[in-house]
Amino acid sequence: MSVLDVTKTEKIATRQAFGDEVVELGRENKDILVVDVDIGSSCKTTQFMNEFPKQHVNVGIAEQNAAGLAAGLATTGKIPFVSTYAVFGSLRMAEQIRQEVCYPNLNVKIACSHGGLTPANDGGSHQAIEDMGVLRTFPNMKVIMGADYHSTRKLIRQAAETYGPVYLRFTRDPVPVIYDENEEFEIGKAKQLKEGNEVALIANGDTVHLAIKASEILEEKGISVKLLDMHTIKPIDKEAVLECIDIGNIVTVEDHNIINGLGSAVSEIVAEEGKGKIRRIGVQDQFGESAPYETLLEINGISVENIVRTAEELL
């Protein structure tokens, strides 16, 4: 799919953005490699494999081996993207990422589909609710989740051009297209979508479109809303969070365990400043189940209605 085929009226999974952007990167730079674990069709790397067989390696169902191989390739000047599911990329590969990628600070990108609750009907075993939290604790690691197709493509390109370990998280299910294709993004710099002075909404990934809808409802009620897309939770945009603390009321929204994800990262800054109130909306420290994606979000209070209610309660 070409970027020109995507409009704001569509929904598209951000894993497709990875599949499209990594092909463009491969055409431009022969040092870009993809290391697959036998799920290329699901992770959208089949086109890359077909177009660049010499830049593609399939290690089979062996995620730890994939991480070690990628580390070795990085020492030769290559830029490997390890492509797998988020539960495997963050948990099964955790030791290898820590010891072989982050400790020597190698130029490896961990590109993972099926983040958060988006695997939905695949059940709790495939829903990565702790992945960003696990990997943000590793020194040298950057942790990123784009909100839509266009932002994800731009952030993938930035990751390829930025030296060091990066974790990129994508959705399995389609999410609304929010941004125009010419919008620019910077790793570690939040995207401000609205300016306000009564309550701040900070969201990332597939929850940004929910926060946008909630902000519109709050504004209809006469409440001034500041809205941030915090696509990078490490390094988090501390300056942007401090501006939200000055407002005094913050609601974070994420498709991740409220422990050690976006909400925790923002809360750490709030606590260190010693002022401001914060409420975290996200997965309520519980495993998912096999159910439609929207149902799982609702079970955990990740909804427009709950964002609005939580913001009003803070005020």
Side-chain angles (χ1 to χ4, degrees), residues 2-314:
S2 166
V3 67
L4 298 177
D5 296 331
V6 179
T7 70
K8 284 188 177 182
T9 62
E10 292 180 303
K11 288 185 175 183
I12 185 167
T14 58
R15 60 175 168 160
Q16 184 63 56
F18 172 62
D20 293 346
E21 189 61 29
V22 79
V23 167
E24 290 298 321
L25 290 169
R27 290 170 181 160
E28 298 168 15
N29 185 352
K30 297 307 177 185
D31 286 333
I32 297 288
L33 308 179
V34 167
V35 180
D36 265 328
V37 293
D38 217 29
I39 47 176
S41 60
S42 186
C43 292
K44 304 302 180 183
T45 56
T46 302
Q47 183 181 346
F48 187 96
M49 176 187 67
N50 291 336
E51 191 165 336
F52 313 109
K54 293 183 179 180
Q55 293 168 247
H56 178 271
V57 182
N58 186 353
V59 301
I61 306 172
E63 286 81 0
Q64 291 104 327
N65 290 349
L69 174 62
L73 291 168
T75 66
T76 70
K78 303 299 183 183
I79 307 172
F81 282 79
V82 181
S83 177
T84 184
Y85 294 163
V87 285
F88 305 141
S90 61
L91 301 177
R92 187 172 294 172
M93 290 164 50
E95 182 182 359
Q96 285 72 28
I97 292 172
R98 181 186 188 274
Q99 300 295 96
E100 299 173 25
V101 175
C102 289
Y103 186 59
N105 195 28
L106 295 178
N107 198 21
V108 175
K109 319 305 173 184
I110 311 298
C112 290
S113 180
H114 291 53
L117 297 171
T118 66
N121 292 322
D122 290 345
S125 63
H126 278 61
Q127 294 158 8
I129 61 169
E130 60 283 284
D131 53 322
M132 293 194 291
V134 169
L135 294 180
R136 84 178 182 97
T137 65
F138 291 174
N140 296 323
M141 177 64 80
K142 296 176 175 63
V143 178
I144 299 167
M145 186 178 190
D148 75 343
Y149 178 87
H150 293 312
S151 62
T152 299
R153 286 194 68 156
K154 293 293 180 68
L155 290 163
I156 291 164
R157 178 165 291 269
Q158 283 232 333
E161 296 171 353
T162 302
Y163 185 88
V166 180
Y167 178 66
L168 294 154
R169 188 198 211 211
F170 314 127
T171 66
R172 177 194 181 279
D173 281 18
V175 292
V177 176
I178 297 168
Y179 296 105
D180 292 322
E181 63 179 293
N182 59 356
E183 195 78 34
E184 294 301 322
F185 294 83
E186 180 181 344
I187 291 174
K189 185 70 174 177
K191 177 66 72 173
Q192 180 171 296
L193 300 177
K194 290 179 183 289
E195 180 60 85
N197 57 24
E198 290 184 274
V199 64
L201 303 182
I202 305 177
N204 73 351
D206 50 313
T207 67
V208 172
H209 75 98
L210 300 176
I212 291 172
K213 291 179 181 177
S215 71
E216 293 168 351
I217 294 172
L218 289 165
E219 288 173 340
E220 288 173 359
K221 296 184 175 193
I223 298 170
S224 178
V225 180
K226 184 182 185 74
L227 175 58
L228 298 180
D229 172 1
M230 192 67 74
H231 48 74
T232 307
I233 71 167
K234 186 188 177 184
I236 196 165
D237 187 343
K238 185 174 181 180
E239 181 179 341
V241 176
L242 290 175
E243 291 175 0
C244 295
I245 292 173
D246 289 339
I247 292 172
N249 302 299
I250 302 172
V251 179
T252 61
V253 192
E254 61 192 312
D255 181 1
H256 186 278
N257 196 337
I258 57 170
I259 296 173
N260 208 19
L262 171 66
S264 288
V266 174
S267 295
E268 289 159 11
I269 300 173
V270 173
E272 288 171 352
E273 288 299 302
K275 61 180 181 180
K277 296 182 292 183
I278 183 169
R279 299 291 183 271
R280 296 171 295 161
I281 293 175
V283 178
Q284 298 298 301
D285 195 26
Q286 60 188 354
F287 289 108
E289 55 189 283
S290 183
Y293 169 56
E294 292 77 9
T295 300
L296 294 171
L297 292 178
E298 193 70 35
I299 288 171
N300 286 278
I302 308 171
S303 66
V304 172
E305 294 75 18
N306 193 38
I307 297 169
V308 171
R309 182 167 52 249
T310 303
E312 288 179 321
E313 289 172 355
L314 270 179

